[in-house]
Amino acid sequence: MTTTLARPAATDLEIRHAKQPRSGVLLTGAAWIIAVLFVLPVLWMILTSFHTEQDAAANPPKLAAPLSLEGYRSFFDSGPWPPLANSLTASVVSTLLVLLLALPAAYALSIKPVKKWSDVMFFFLSTKFLPVVAGLLPVYLFAQKVNLLDNIWLLIILYTSMNLPIAVWMLRSFLSEVPTEMLEAAQVDGAGLVRTLREIVAPVVAPGIAAAALICFIFSWNELLFARVLTGTRAETAPVFLTGFVTSQGLFLAKVCAASLVVSLPVLAAGFAAQDKLVQGLSMGAVR
Amino acid sequence: MATSLDEPAAPARVDPAARPRRVRRSRAARPWLLLAGPLLVIAGLLLYPIVRVTVLSFQRYGLKEVISGKPEFIGLDNYREALSGDYLWKTVLPNTVVFAAVAVAGTVVLGTLVALLLQHLGPRLRALVIGSALVAWALPAVTGTYVWVWIFDPDSGIVRRTLIALGMLDPEGFNWFTDRLSFYAIAVLNVIHHGYPFIAITIFAGLSTVPEELHEAAKLDGANAWRRFWSITVPLMRPVFAVVTILSTIWDFKVFAQIYLMPGGDGSNPDVFNLGVWSYVSSINQNKYGLGSAIAVLLTLVLLVITMIYVRALFREDELQ
């Protein structure tokens, strides 16, 4: 971006910025359409969940029908708290375990990389080929043998190992942003490992840790296949509970929309609230 | 881990050669210690299933064998069962491959368009679109699939009601979920809708690495937006597009919940199975664990081959640079 070289470009840039208000209407329109298309299923769920069953099934759909909490009431009466708590436990604990394992590994792969670090990265990535369906039976048979079926800890272990590769991959991207000169300077000054980590590494990596944690949380919360096969009544997670609820109540749209919304709410909130971190994390994990 | 803390802070410069050799060797081993945890967890929890599922695929393994614990080795019989006949070749494989091809193309094209749009937006609108994209991405596949199923419900779905009201559909209606083509059309809609927000964000992040000057220079030379996209953005962004395509391909080949949760996908309509669902139904619904494992191994192999081709292409590119 040297000013002397890019002078014509700079003026052109100014022109483009000046023009923006006119073409802006079109862009604004397109942006709103895309945004609404993205969240359309969620909007539809919100709307339907607050209607009475009669209004939800009305033809044509009544957008302005009076609001009702009927759907939510009957969903919360059906005992969703244990599954929701199970999902929360599995997601939070597995996320913490992932971070605990992934951070040292990412450190070893970036700041002081081991010689074959790219091979190690490939090993981590290669685990993504394995379809969950292929792991399902072995895990099921193993869990049956060691009596871990319908146990939330089995899911915690599985989610940890499923999310570990992507977390290592992402955290490595963030850690390699830490300027090596600063690390060397700290070493020269005699700062210990703990101090170096706290004062130089942590500020750069904190957003990365937040992003990795969020992504692991979202993946664990949404997982269906393992949870469905490996849990019963005790360790059932929210998505499994939801599939059961929808199968039995499928005709009652307001009720099932309320249920779907409640089950999705934690991840939707996480996604919306932390968008900057997620964008950074997602692109770091995938691009580099 | 805090060994270096005990070192006196005094000497400003330490001659590396003066360090005892023992310290150096432990230095070289320490990173591997940090890596040991994840490597062990992943080796245990991901390599074990690969080995086990491969062994299972060579065995007759049903309910009887689960109880007795003594499976019989039957060689390639499970593979023979899966590969022979028309079912794999005319139904399951096209369902898997054509679906993935269409979904990947749709996801990447739409994602690119949204990414290009994002580039031209002001900060506030950009935040709006990205926020909505993340909501769509975080929405559980279970919930997303249900919404699409309800929208296309053959009795009371919005689409049916609208089409009848417009006179484009007979009042008897049409069950989109029993016909393979319309079933997969809905599945494609669902998967693209769920997948392209992430792709858009990734490509948008990649676009910011393309130097603005190149575009400006090309513009001065009279190149239009289309030309500039193909001769500047695409070549420079090739690695990003490659990663995005690989990831989408892996996901769309492995798609499970989005098919399984649609009417008929849970086992009642074999016309709509893909490899993943077929494997699941064979093992979990029908207790043919050996056959299910063989199908799962086939799916893994297909994925492996595709990814190898992609990675080859990608890394040849990198070495040239």
Side-chain angles (χ1 to χ4, degrees):
Chain A
M1 284 273 191
T2 44
T3 41
T4 39
L5 271 177
R7 186 172 271 163
T11 45
D12 204 44
L13 211 67
E14 278 155 31
I15 293 167
R16 210 179 62 183
H17 276 296
K19 247 195 282 179
Q20 224 145 32
R22 250 186 294 146
S23 63
V25 181
L26 210 72
L27 279 177
T28 312
W32 275 99
I33 291 171
I34 299 271
V36 170
L37 278 182
F38 277 151
V39 293
L40 204 57
V42 180
L43 292 179
W44 184 77
M45 269 194 312
I46 296 175
L47 194 71
T48 314
S49 69
F50 282 109
H51 281 170
T52 60
E53 292 299 344
Q54 293 92 312
D55 287 330
N59 183 15
K62 284 187 194 167
L63 293 183
L67 299 184
S68 151
L69 289 174
E70 202 185 293
Y72 288 92
R73 210 167 293 136
S74 52
F75 170 65
F76 282 114
D77 284 344
S78 66
W81 292 115
L84 285 170
N86 282 335
S87 270
L88 197 69
T89 315
S91 310
V92 171
V93 178
S94 72
T95 302
L96 290 177
L97 284 176
V98 165
L99 291 181
L100 208 67
L101 288 165
L103 267 172
Y107 184 86
L109 289 170
S110 58
I111 291 185
K112 300 236 170 96
V114 295
K115 264 193 198 133
K116 307 210 163 198
W117 70 269
S118 58
D119 293 346
V120 177
M121 292 295 283
F122 254 112
F123 172 71
F124 281 128
L125 194 69
S126 68
T127 55
K128 305 221 75 173
F129 309 135
L130 185 69
V132 173
V133 172
L136 199 57
L137 270 181
V139 172
Y140 179 82
L141 295 173
F142 177 78
Q144 202 179 35
K145 208 185 283 173
V146 297
N147 230 343
L148 267 175
L149 282 180
D150 202 11
N151 185 329
I152 198 70
W153 277 99
L154 179 63
L155 287 187
I156 291 175
I157 296 167
L158 287 172
Y159 294 167
T160 305
S161 65
M162 275 168 71
N163 288 331
L164 200 50
I166 189 127
V168 172
W169 194 266
M170 249 167 73
L171 288 173
R172 198 203 76 90
S173 305
F174 277 93
L175 275 168
S176 46
E177 300 279 293
V178 176
T180 35
E181 311 85 66
M182 280 179 76
L183 288 176
E184 278 157 18
Q187 210 171 27
V188 170
D189 286 350
L193 181 66
V194 173
R195 233 188 100 197
T196 316
L197 283 180
R198 198 179 55 213
E199 280 169 25
I200 298 171
V201 179
V204 182
V205 183
I209 295 176
L214 270 167
I215 287 166
C216 293
F217 178 85
I218 291 174
F219 283 163
S220 315
W221 184 277
N222 290 351
E223 205 280 331
L224 174 71
L225 194 43
F226 273 134
R228 194 185 163 93
V229 174
L230 300 174
T231 66
T233 45
R234 259 187 310 138
E236 186 183 45
T237 61
V240 181
F241 179 81
L242 179 64
T243 57
F245 190 77
V246 169
T247 314
S248 62
Q249 311 278 338
L251 292 173
F252 302 101
L253 267 192
K255 231 191 263 188
V256 288
C257 277
S260 309
L261 206 63
V262 173
V263 169
S264 321
L265 212 55
V267 284
L268 296 186
F272 196 78
Q275 41 172 293
D276 297 347
K277 296 205 168 55
L278 275 175
V279 169
Q280 217 181 344
L282 286 172
S283 45
M284 284 277 214
V287 178
R288 301 184 190 195
Chain B
M1 273 222 258
T3 42
S4 45
L5 263 187
D6 322 338
E7 283 173 19
R13 274 173 197 281
V14 182
D15 180 11
R19 282 174 196 246
R21 207 194 242 154
R22 189 181 49 83
V23 176
R24 267 224 195 131
R25 202 185 298 144
S26 81
R27 285 254 153 133
R30 207 157 52 179
W32 287 106
L33 266 170
L34 297 178
L35 278 170
L39 285 176
L40 283 175
V41 168
I42 287 174
L45 279 146
L46 292 166
L47 292 184
Y48 166 77
I50 294 182
V51 174
R52 187 73 210 270
V53 80
T54 313
V55 172
L56 273 171
S57 71
F58 293 111
Q59 293 173 333
R60 173 177 297 129
Y61 210 106
L63 271 188
K64 209 176 78 193
E65 284 76 16
V66 171
I67 294 159
S68 71
K70 291 193 186 71
E72 185 192 342
F73 182 80
I74 52 167
L76 290 170
D77 279 7
N78 287 321
Y79 289 94
R80 218 163 280 145
E81 190 179 342
L83 293 166
S84 65
D86 279 350
Y87 185 56
L88 172 74
W89 304 105
K90 291 214 170 137
T91 306
V92 176
L93 208 58
N95 283 355
T96 312
V97 177
V98 177
F99 164 80
V102 175
V104 169
T107 315
V108 173
V109 170
L110 277 174
T112 310
L113 288 176
V114 173
L116 290 172
L117 173 77
L118 276 172
Q119 246 197 332
H120 291 279
L121 293 178
R124 240 184 250 160
L125 277 176
R126 192 180 281 176
L128 170 83
V129 175
I130 289 181
S132 320
L134 285 171
V135 166
W137 171 78
L139 186 73
V142 181
T143 324
T145 306
Y146 283 139
V147 172
W148 288 102
V149 170
W150 294 324
I151 288 176
F152 283 94
D153 188 90
D155 291 322
S156 55
I158 293 176
V159 173
R160 179 191 129 99
R161 280 189 259 157
T162 317
L163 287 181
I164 289 178
L166 291 171
M168 287 164 72
L169 191 74
D170 292 336
E172 313 93 82
F174 176 69
N175 190 344
W176 290 288
F177 297 109
T178 51
D179 178 69
R180 189 172 152 206
L181 210 63
S182 48
F183 180 100
Y184 269 95
I186 296 169
V188 162
L189 264 178
N190 178 12
V191 167
I192 291 182
H193 181 268
H194 197 226
Y196 84 112
F198 166 75
I199 304 299
I201 289 171
T202 310
I203 295 176
F204 171 63
L207 281 176
S208 61
T209 61
V210 177
E212 185 84 19
E213 290 85 359
L214 280 178
H215 276 278
E216 301 302 339
K219 218 190 249 175
L220 287 182
D221 289 344
N224 60 16
W226 179 258
R227 232 352 257 289
R228 273 181 282 137
F229 176 74
W230 286 106
S231 10
I232 298 173
T233 312
V234 171
L236 281 176
M237 295 262 297
R238 185 166 271 179
V240 178
F241 282 119
V243 169
V244 154
T245 315
I246 296 177
L247 288 178
S248 308
T249 310
I250 294 178
W251 290 329
D252 293 348
F253 262 91
K254 290 200 292 194
V255 147
F256 176 81
Q258 285 93 331
I259 305 295
Y260 181 78
L261 293 174
M262 274 168 66
D266 57 352
S268 54
N269 185 3
D271 273 358
V272 299
F273 292 178
N274 65 7
L275 276 171
V277 174
W278 189 27
S279 166
Y280 181 93
V281 169
S282 302
S283 32
I284 306 294
N285 292 15
Q286 301 169 347
N287 297 318
K288 293 185 198 162
Y289 298 118
L291 177 64
S293 302
I295 301 165
V297 170
L298 289 177
L299 172 59
T300 313
L301 288 178
V302 171
L303 274 172
L304 206 67
V305 169
I306 291 171
T307 322
M308 295 251 280
I309 296 169
Y310 276 133
V311 168
R312 271 276 172 86
L314 180 68
F315 273 79
R316 207 178 306 139
E317 197 71 28
D318 265 3
E319 277 157 16
L320 282 177
Q321 281 168 359

